[in-house]
Amino acid sequence: MRFLLIIPTVFILVTTVFVLMRATGDPITAALGGRLTPDQLAERIHAAGYDRPILVQYLEYLRGVFTGDFGTTLSDNRPVTEVLTTYGSATLELAAYAIVVALLLGIPFGMISGYFRDRLPDAVLRILAILAYATPVFFAGLLLKLVFSVWLGWFPVAGRVSTNGEIAMQMAGADSGFMLVDAFRTGDPAVVLDVLSHAVLPAAALGLLTAGVFLRLVRTNVIGTLGTGYVEAARSRGVAESRLVRKHAWRPALIPIITVAGMQVAMLLVGAVLTETTFEWRGLGFQLAEYLQARDFVAVQGIVVLMAVVVAVTNFLVDIIAALIDPRVRY
Amino acid sequence: MSAAEITPVGTQGAAPEHLGGRGSWFKKLPVVHQVRQSVGLQRGMLIAGIVLVAVFVLVAVFAPLIAPYGWSQLRSLDGAFGAQQAPSAEHWFGTTVGGYDVLSRVVWGARTALLVVIVAVVSSIVVGVLLGLVSGYFGGWLDRLLVVVADAIYAFPSLLLAILLAIVISGGQSNMWGGIFAAALSITVVFIPQYFRVVRSEVVRIKGEAFVDSARVLGTGHWRIMTRHVLRNSTRTLPLIVTLNASEAILTLAGLGFLGFGIEPTAAAEWGYDLQRAIADVTSGIWWTSMFPGLAIVFTAMGVTLMGESLNDLADPRLRMRARSSKVSGDVAATSVEKGDVA
């Protein structure tokens, strides 16, 4: 029964976005008001159908959302669906890198922190985790950029690939939108390296933010399971301490970790919006910031609806996965 | 878990007669009480958090005395400041691309952040607690509807929701108070579901307690039961959420500003906006325009988070460090305090 809640949730999200975006008026006045004469404006509004009753527009919008039609952007006249598919892959790629960084850092250090609870390694790691949380992802990005691109010159300043790499990809006909996949398809190791070097700093910035959350999560849960009787029993049987943490305490701690990790998708997407803006990583977040500047609220509406629905559906899937792993969580 | 939660409720209910005899009111204050309760590393973290927050609040309150110039001041008696000047005796933190004094904008930015946090936290507590109380106490279809809506809003990525609300409230840009309220209200709507959920679940639990039943048997009105009996016992966890939310509010405000939805530079100083203006500076190696506002955000959010984390740990018996065991081995406790301070 609980699983059916996804339907009203998505419905409420979609409706919230519509109500908020139309509370201030129609998007055409917002984008072009002041630049066109009132007559021209009225004509554009009429042509786009924004002068019809709000309920009719709402139903049409709902139908559009569920058939994958989000309208046409005002600033560059592209179907919003095309914008979403073109740039969605870039955001997905960045999020994937960030999750890898977060897992690689968050889980082992979380275990260490939990095992050395309240001793020096724990103190240092926890303060680093809080620091990672308290640092806005765009400031972390700017710092990394300043140190590693501008001062040390190790990595490129911005973008996803250099011009040469882009040409090589186009010649190879690789246009999946996932740069790393495309780079492998060109078969040129230099292009792969180029793509990876562009990804290091954005992935580190976004990954560090998430790693801090994972570390705290793993720590709390490992502490919880380390205190239980069966861990004591295993210790008394002479199981090695490192194995105790990795095998015995870790497994049952996994369920809350998966649940909360799923909740982090929302944070990851918001973080991606800010990271992309910092590094000119041409994904959905970068486009969102551009459309916000252009006051193109049709495009903004499309991107926000998509992100909100992605988050809701992910949380829903995580709930199911948690139920499958742990029979006690079945509803 | 539930046994641990019920016990303090019972003792609090019985507390008033004994309060005078149990030591001064000072020791009972929320934060003071936790500092006394904490030991070792946790005390170090809590105190570090309190110090950072205190510095932030003092800077915000005394901004006019601390800041050498106004937040939108471009020239002094000696002439214009000039753009992108490196830190010097006149401008300790340098000047921005727009020709503002970075130090002054950082100091005034603290005031903007503090105002936004206060407005956002107070209004979301008022609305969230009221909704949670009514919803949990009366139940029924309204309760079910509110829970579904709160869950949906809770799942909404906070910054995106704040962006939408900023568009609605102010059309994106506005003057100082308009901008502060727009940012604060955008954050408020994001936080209401959190308070709503926490208070509602506590209310639902407490509603079934015997003392509520006895109040009802005595003929006490709904309103009085809600405020006197239920509300007072369901707000224990609120201080934790307030501190955790306050840091999120600071980060959301900065995020809004960074995306160009903050407050205009002439209306007030805002750290996120200044960082957005500094993106191009970083590429050309100008570090002071991004470093100082960025560090201001980090220290403020970190102070609030340290406080929230420590309070959270102290409230959770699984995570609280045990004072008794460390009193026995006094040396351990002493060294771990130092470790906490050093780290």
Side-chain angles (χ1 to χ4, degrees):
Chain A
M1 266 312 285
R2 217 194 97 99
F3 293 140
L4 288 178
L5 273 179
I6 182 70
I7 297 165
T9 303
V10 168
F11 182 76
I12 290 169
L13 288 180
V14 167
T15 307
T16 308
V17 174
F18 180 83
V19 169
L20 289 179
M21 295 303 295
R22 300 306 304 281
T24 42
D26 66 284
I28 291 181
T29 314
L32 304 169
R35 273 188 275 165
L36 297 177
T37 65
D39 284 350
Q40 283 171 315
L41 212 56
E43 198 178 303
R44 291 282 299 267
I45 290 173
H46 182 71
Y50 288 122
D51 53 351
R52 291 174 301 164
I54 195 84
L55 206 64
V56 175
Q57 293 184 47
Y58 174 62
L59 290 175
E60 196 191 357
Y61 159 80
L62 277 187
R63 202 180 58 218
V65 167
F66 288 107
T67 54
D69 173 15
F70 292 92
T72 311
T73 66
L74 295 170
S75 49
D76 48 8
N77 243 326
R78 301 164 67 184
V80 176
T81 317
E82 184 196 305
V83 174
L84 297 179
T85 48
T86 313
Y87 297 106
S89 51
T91 302
L92 217 59
E93 196 176 356
L94 177 60
Y97 292 144
I99 288 185
V100 170
V101 172
L103 292 177
L104 285 179
L105 292 177
I107 293 176
F109 284 120
M111 287 183 182
I112 294 174
S113 196
Y115 182 75
F116 291 102
R117 175 189 174 182
D118 298 330
R119 282 184 274 161
L120 186 64
D122 180 35
V124 173
L125 283 171
R126 285 186 72 194
I127 285 166
L128 286 178
I130 292 175
L131 194 63
Y133 170 80
T135 309
V137 63
F138 46 90
F139 179 55
L142 286 176
L143 275 184
L144 290 172
K145 201 159 142 174
L146 184 69
V147 174
F148 293 104
S149 317
V150 179
W151 286 347
L152 296 174
W154 289 356
F155 301 104
V157 176
R160 295 176 67 195
V161 65
S162 61
T163 323
N164 288 340
E166 205 164 2
I167 292 168
M169 280 180 203
Q170 269 171 10
M171 281 168 63
D175 56 352
S176 69
F178 296 97
M179 282 292 166
L180 195 58
V181 177
D182 289 346
F184 275 111
R185 277 164 72 185
T186 63
D188 185 352
V191 177
V192 176
L193 210 64
D194 180 47
V195 167
L196 283 178
S197 71
H198 277 85
V200 169
L201 295 184
L206 188 53
L208 279 176
L209 170 78
T210 323
V213 179
F214 279 5
L215 190 152
R216 295 200 291 182
L217 197 61
V218 173
R219 174 184 181 273
T220 312
N221 286 296
V222 166
I223 287 177
T225 45
L226 270 178
T228 52
Y230 73 92
V231 171
E232 281 298 310
R235 181 176 282 140
S236 69
R237 289 200 306 273
V239 176
E241 288 291 309
S242 66
R243 192 181 156 79
L244 218 54
V245 179
R246 278 185 293 112
K247 301 286 180 195
H248 295 255
W250 162 241
R251 286 270 172 82
L254 199 59
I255 294 147
I257 290 169
I258 288 177
T259 316
V260 183
M263 307 276 273
Q264 295 310 312
V265 172
M267 200 188 73
L268 203 65
L269 273 181
V270 166
V273 172
L274 297 167
T275 315
E276 285 173 10
T277 313
T278 316
F279 287 98
E280 286 164 51
W281 181 279
R282 298 199 150 272
L284 276 186
F286 183 77
Q287 290 304 120
L288 178 67
E290 296 270 286
Y291 286 128
L292 281 171
Q293 297 287 332
R295 309 184 66 73
D296 183 342
F297 294 155
V298 175
V300 170
Q301 178 173 307
I303 294 175
V304 170
V305 163
L306 180 80
M307 286 187 168
V309 170
V310 165
V311 169
V313 170
T314 318
N315 287 350
F316 164 69
L317 290 177
V318 164
D319 270 358
I320 293 183
I321 293 171
L324 288 178
I325 294 178
D326 184 357
R328 285 173 306 175
V329 197
R330 293 229 171 97
Y331 301 105
Chain B
M1 193 67 196
S2 63
E5 274 175 12
I6 290 166
T7 322
V9 174
T11 48
Q12 266 171 21
E17 298 92 76
H18 309 292
L19 230 161
R22 280 228 193 126
S24 71
W25 56 272
F26 179 75
K27 290 176 186 169
K28 290 272 175 186
L29 283 176
V31 174
V32 178
H33 171 70
Q34 268 93 357
V35 171
R36 291 171 51 83
Q37 190 187 14
S38 63
V39 289
L41 172 65
Q42 272 174 357
R43 178 173 277 188
M45 283 172 67
L46 181 57
I47 290 174
I50 292 171
V51 168
L52 283 174
V53 171
V55 169
F56 163 65
V57 172
L58 287 178
V59 168
V61 170
F62 295 107
L65 302 177
I66 299 168
Y69 307 101
W71 65 85
S72 60
Q73 196 173 337
L74 289 169
R75 52 179 64 249
S76 62
L77 292 174
D78 309 331
F81 294 160
Q84 297 180 326
Q85 298 294 308
S88 63
E90 289 84 50
H91 303 286
W92 289 0
F93 291 0
T95 61
T96 71
V97 66
Y100 300 119
D101 178 58
V102 176
L103 173 61
S104 305
R105 285 193 66 83
V106 168
V107 170
W108 286 104
R111 176 169 275 205
T112 310
L114 182 67
L115 285 172
V116 169
V117 168
I118 290 175
V119 175
V121 168
V122 168
S123 46
S124 51
I125 285 184
V126 170
V127 179
V129 168
L130 203 67
L131 283 178
L133 189 60
V134 171
S135 182
Y137 185 78
F138 289 113
W141 63 269
L142 181 72
D143 178 45
R144 257 168 277 158
L145 181 74
L146 282 174
V147 168
V148 172
V149 172
D151 279 356
I153 302 286
Y154 187 69
F156 210 114
S158 55
L159 185 63
L160 296 185
L161 186 57
I163 288 173
L164 292 186
L165 288 156
I167 293 176
V168 174
I169 294 168
S170 64
Q173 295 270 315
S174 49
N175 59 5
M176 177 178 164
W177 282 103
I180 285 174
F181 273 103
L185 288 181
S186 314
I187 298 165
T188 300
V189 176
V190 177
F191 288 157
I192 287 174
Q194 300 186 14
Y195 292 100
F196 170 81
R197 284 157 62 120
V198 170
V199 169
R200 183 191 164 274
S201 64
E202 284 279 290
V203 167
V204 167
R205 189 176 63 76
I206 290 165
K207 178 169 84 162
E209 298 274 329
F211 68 91
V212 176
D213 284 340
S214 33
R216 194 168 293 139
V217 169
L218 287 173
T220 318
H222 283 307
W223 181 247
R224 192 177 162 82
I225 295 180
M226 272 161 72
T227 50
R228 299 297 296 240
H229 298 85
V230 178
L231 180 62
R232 292 210 177 166
N233 289 310
S234 52
T235 51
R236 271 180 312 123
T237 44
L238 286 188
L240 304 179
I241 311 175
V242 168
T243 48
L244 293 175
N245 272 354
S247 63
E248 213 182 316
I250 289 164
L251 295 175
T252 307
L253 173 70
L256 274 178
F258 187 74
L259 289 175
F261 270 72
I263 298 153
E264 278 178 38
T266 47
E270 203 277 306
W271 297 330
Y273 175 87
D274 288 354
L275 275 175
Q276 186 218 17
R277 304 293 297 168
I279 300 179
D281 294 352
V282 167
T283 315
S284 45
I286 295 171
W287 54 271
W288 56 87
T289 49
S290 54
M291 192 68 78
F292 296 113
L295 286 179
I297 301 174
V298 172
F299 282 130
T300 311
M302 187 156 172
V304 181
T305 312
L306 276 171
M307 242 176 96
E309 277 264 294
S310 314
L311 294 181
N312 191 31
D313 287 0
L314 289 170
D316 187 340
R318 286 184 308 163
L319 296 174
R320 190 187 308 142
M321 289 170 80
R322 283 149 190 87
R324 209 175 298 134
S325 65
S326 56
K327 263 175 199 157
V328 175
S329 51
D331 285 306
V332 177
T335 47
S336 54
V337 171
E338 276 168 35
K339 274 173 195 167
D341 291 342
V342 170

